[in-house]
Amino acid sequence: MRGFSILTIVLMHFIQNDRLPGIVNKILSIGGTGVHVFFFCSGFGLFLSYLKKPLKYTEFLKKRFFKVYIPYIAVVTISALLPYMYEGNRLGAWLSHVFLYKMFIPVYEESFGPFWFISTLFQFYFLFVPMVRLKENIGTKKWFVGCSSLSITWWVFTAITGLSDQRIWGSFFLQYLWEFALGIVIAEYLKSGKSITIKTQWLIVIGIIGIGIAGVAKVVGGYFTAFNDIFAAFGYGAISLFIYTMGCSAINKFIFFTSKISYELYLVHILVFCTIRLFVPNFVFSIILSVFTSYVIAFGYQSHIKNKKVLCCE
């Protein structure tokens, strides 16, 4: 699921552009729905790692520092040195990434690329250990209901105030808390030896209905989008599972490979695309070349860091 989600996100970023009609860009933005699966998988993977080897708060953050922060800042630093990657105050933008305060300043939130996701991810990292300990104290059911209630309250608040369209509000961790928590709950359930079985036809139905409603909400906009994440997450998740159950070895191997380098691919893809677009005017060819180059660089980056023992697997 993680590999499929990052692939659609990357393609969406490559294909969307100002020359396309607004409604087309809105439809293409459905590819960004993969971010829901990414947060779900983050909660799932982090909790499985925690169950295998519980870490104290400082130890956990230290691991995230080397695994996520250092590779991220390395890419941001390279981007900051290239004038075409950001037209504003590049030093100010770079500092906002280094000290993690860009998540509170709209002008810097998407500097050097769509790194808002990283901001949200770090918010979850800071809260993960306290969240797990709270779950252990009050029980999984009450904990998940509480997390979901916080997300719903946040959706209603941002919709009523009109803040949902502003990135620093619409990507605050409360927006995605329910699916991050769901990943933790599913990980705990499966770890207990239980299993979840969903028939293929139900995956198709859930996928069509979920993505259909999400697509309509994206086009219509307004208050209708307040609860859109639920339909988008389940619809997208169902489609990714359906593709996996089709049993195509080549596709599944490619998705698994993408999953292994998913974080590095996310980090480098915009830098690669913007650089290639400077030298390749043909839009279609630039996309093809960007996809290939991004994969090569992401694989090399992941391998290099792994060999240096700075980045380790989930």
Side-chain angles (χ1 to χ4, degrees):
M1 292 176 68
R2 186 194 293 265
F4 181 71
S5 68
I6 195 64
L7 177 61
T8 61
I9 291 171
V10 167
L11 291 177
M12 177 198 70
H13 288 158
F14 286 171
I15 296 174
Q16 278 187 327
N17 65 87
D18 296 335
R19 291 174 292 179
L20 294 175
I23 190 171
V24 174
N25 277 323
K26 284 187 176 182
I27 294 174
L28 288 173
S29 66
I30 295 176
T33 305
V35 73
H36 298 293
V37 172
F38 219 100
F39 283 124
F40 170 86
C41 290
S42 294
F44 185 92
L46 286 173
F47 191 65
L48 285 182
S49 296
Y50 180 83
L51 290 176
K52 184 178 180 181
K53 184 181 179 181
L55 298 174
K56 294 181 180 179
Y57 186 68
T58 53
E59 293 175 336
F60 174 80
L61 290 182
K62 181 180 179 180
K63 184 177 180 180
R64 296 300 109 185
F65 177 81
F66 289 111
K67 179 179 175 59
V68 179
Y69 179 79
I70 294 299
Y72 157 61
I73 292 302
V75 173
V76 167
T77 300
I78 294 173
S79 299
L81 295 174
L82 302 173
Y84 57 86
M85 288 301 298
Y86 186 65
E87 296 180 353
N89 182 346
R90 282 184 286 148
L91 177 59
W94 179 77
L95 290 173
S96 73
H97 286 263
V98 171
F99 295 105
L100 299 178
Y101 61 81
K102 78 178 184 66
M103 63 184 74
F104 306 113
I105 303 179
V107 70
Y108 292 146
E109 181 57 3
E110 295 192 78
S111 56
F112 308 126
F115 289 129
W116 67 265
F117 168 79
I118 308 298
S119 297
T120 310
L121 201 57
F122 274 112
Q123 292 171 43
F124 280 122
Y125 289 160
F126 289 131
L127 294 171
F128 175 72
V129 173
M131 285 174 60
V132 171
R133 290 177 179 171
L134 177 62
K135 183 183 76 66
E136 294 171 348
N137 289 331
I138 68 175
T140 301
K141 290 184 179 179
K142 289 182 179 179
W143 178 81
F144 181 68
V145 170
C147 290
S148 300
S149 299
L150 285 173
S151 283
I152 292 172
T153 302
W154 184 256
W155 299 341
V156 174
F157 167 72
T158 55
I160 292 176
T161 57
L163 295 172
S164 58
D165 292 333
Q166 297 182 30
R167 177 57 73 186
I168 62 172
W169 295 90
S171 62
F172 192 56
F173 83 96
L174 289 176
Q175 182 77 23
Y176 306 101
L177 177 60
W178 74 276
E179 52 205 13
F180 184 82
L182 180 61
I184 292 175
V185 172
I186 296 299
E188 182 179 53
Y189 184 84
L190 296 178
K191 189 66 176 179
S192 68
K194 300 176 182 179
S195 61
I196 301 174
T197 303
I198 304 176
K199 294 182 179 180
T200 303
Q201 54 266 39
W202 279 111
L203 290 176
I204 298 174
V205 171
I206 295 172
I208 293 175
I209 293 177
I211 292 299
I213 294 177
V216 172
K218 197 71 177 180
V219 173
V220 175
Y223 294 125
F224 190 50
T225 62
F227 298 89
N228 187 43
D229 283 4
I230 297 176
F231 301 104
F234 281 103
Y236 186 95
I239 290 177
S240 62
L241 288 175
F242 171 72
I243 292 175
Y244 174 76
T245 59
M246 289 175 60
C248 179
S249 178
I251 292 178
N252 287 343
K253 286 182 179 179
F254 179 70
I255 291 177
F256 280 131
F257 172 71
T258 303
S259 180
K260 291 180 179 180
I261 62 170
S262 58
Y263 181 60
E264 293 78 16
L265 184 60
Y266 187 88
L267 290 179
V268 306
H269 76 283
I270 290 298
L271 175 59
V272 170
F273 183 60
C274 291
T275 301
I276 287 178
R277 285 290 290 160
L278 289 176
F279 304 99
V280 182
N282 184 279
F283 184 63
V284 175
F285 183 63
S286 67
I287 291 176
I288 296 173
L289 186 58
S290 294
V291 170
F292 175 77
T293 306
S294 294
Y295 267 85
V296 171
I297 293 177
F299 176 72
Y301 193 28
Q302 193 267 353
S303 298
H304 173 72
I305 298 173
K306 185 177 181 180
N307 290 336
K308 294 290 185 179
K309 296 182 179 181
V310 175
L311 181 62
C312 61
C313 298
E314 285 287 359

